Amino acid sequence: MSDLINREKIDVLQAKIAAAENIVVCSHKHPDGDAVGCLLSFANFLSDKTKAKYILPNQLPDYLAWLNKSSDIIIAENDIAYAAKCIKEADLLIAVDFNDPMRLASLAESFTASEAFKIAIDHHPMGDYRYDLVFNDLDVSSASEIVYILLSQLNHRKINRYVAEAVYAGIVTDTGSLSYSCNNPSTYNVMAEIMKFGLDGAAIHNLLYNNFPLKRTRLLGYILDKKLVVRNDLSISYYVLTHKELEEFDYEEGMLSNVINYALNIRGVQMAASFVEHEEGVIRMSFRSRGDVCVNTMSSKYFNGGGHKNASGATSMQDVDTLVNLYISVANEYIL
Ligand code: 5GP
Ligand code: MN
């Protein structure tokens, strides 16, 4: 925890934010609640920094659109030239909830080419890319929790209800509503602090989880009924979805979030995977596991991905059958 309350580093953060003309805060492709929570914590905290920009490679899911200032986020896939220009003009780049620039997809090149001062705020293992300043703690629930700890040290008076809501959304979505990655007392301290801003936990829960379009429920039913494969002999499960199937269900960003948990929560299953062809020929994999089954080591060793011990992912242009067979064949290295 010391790194997050290291006064010297906080002072550098403070000085860089104060001096910067053009700040860009950015997060990873297929943004989740933590990615968006971090961006909007900054956006609502730095509201006097009118030139600060908040960038995501692609659209944020509908279930996060209620967060204040979500419409200020620049979506790179809607105007890649503009997003790249913002990064090029930035003198301070803050990467939140990721550290491997590849996770910026079409923005990765602009990000690495920039000579701006670069800060990483993350709770994933650090890769090879070098940042000028790093706030990283693998034991913290979410990057949003780290952002809160940092912002409250920068200026506690500037924490407001909107910042608190963004932090709350980041923490609850990254911990399955405080059901995993949440054994650190710090998480509950932060939750207690942000609740003082009058948040309505039940109302936020409804916005996050009980507000899906009908087509998502239909897609979920289809996956569970027709696509889910359980290999009891290996203690694993998985499902594959083609691009055509996504189109048939009129897929939009966020419709598959948490669906993989249904594949994991079956008795006897220790590890679950999904293989989804979001773009034609591009397979996005998600891996989830229980307890000491480490999916991030499997993801990085065999699929060139990464993530957390119990939740990781990867992207590949390989044939989906090859990927599924690889998953099946290496599973026994990880199952306990
Ligand atoms: P999800 O399955 O929700 O997309 O991702 C689960 C976790 O794995 C997230 O914490 C995310 O940061 C990480 N992750 C997902 N895709 C990738 C990837 O392509 N590379 C790396 N390094 N991590 C990933
Ligand atoms: Mn996260």
Side-chain angles (χ1 to χ4, degrees), residues 62-64 66 202-211:
D62 243 14
Y63 66 84
L64 298 167
W66 58 274
I204 293 177
H205 190 92
N206 278 331
L207 289 165
L208 291 173
Y209 298 112
N210 301 331
N211 193 29

Side-chain angles (χ1 to χ4, degrees), residues 147-202:
V147 167
Y148 175 82
I149 292 166
L150 297 176
L151 296 183
S152 62
Q153 290 173 92
L154 291 184
N155 188 348
H156 193 73
R157 278 169 313 187
K158 278 174 65 181
I159 306 280
N160 55 43
R161 184 186 174 124
Y162 295 134
V163 175
E165 283 179 347
V167 172
Y168 187 93
I171 293 177
V172 297
T173 54
D174 248 26
T175 60
S177 300
L178 298 177
S179 65
Y180 49 78
S181 311
C182 59
N183 288 338
N184 188 333
S186 153
T187 305
Y188 300 89
N189 290 334
V190 170
M191 288 298 262
E193 280 192 36
I194 59 181
M195 288 313 286
K196 291 176 192 157
F197 290 90
L199 308 194
D200 183 341

Side-chain angles (χ1 to χ4, degrees), residues 48 62 130 252 298 312:
D48 52 336
D62 243 14
R130 290 284 147 242
E252 58 188 66
M298 180 184 75
S312 59

Side-chain angles (χ1 to χ4, degrees), residues 28 32 34-35 97 122-124 141-144 174 308:
H28 58 80
D32 55 8
D34 194 23
D97 196 35
D122 196 14
H123 66 140
H124 298 98
S141 71
S142 53
S144 297
D174 248 26
H308 306 281

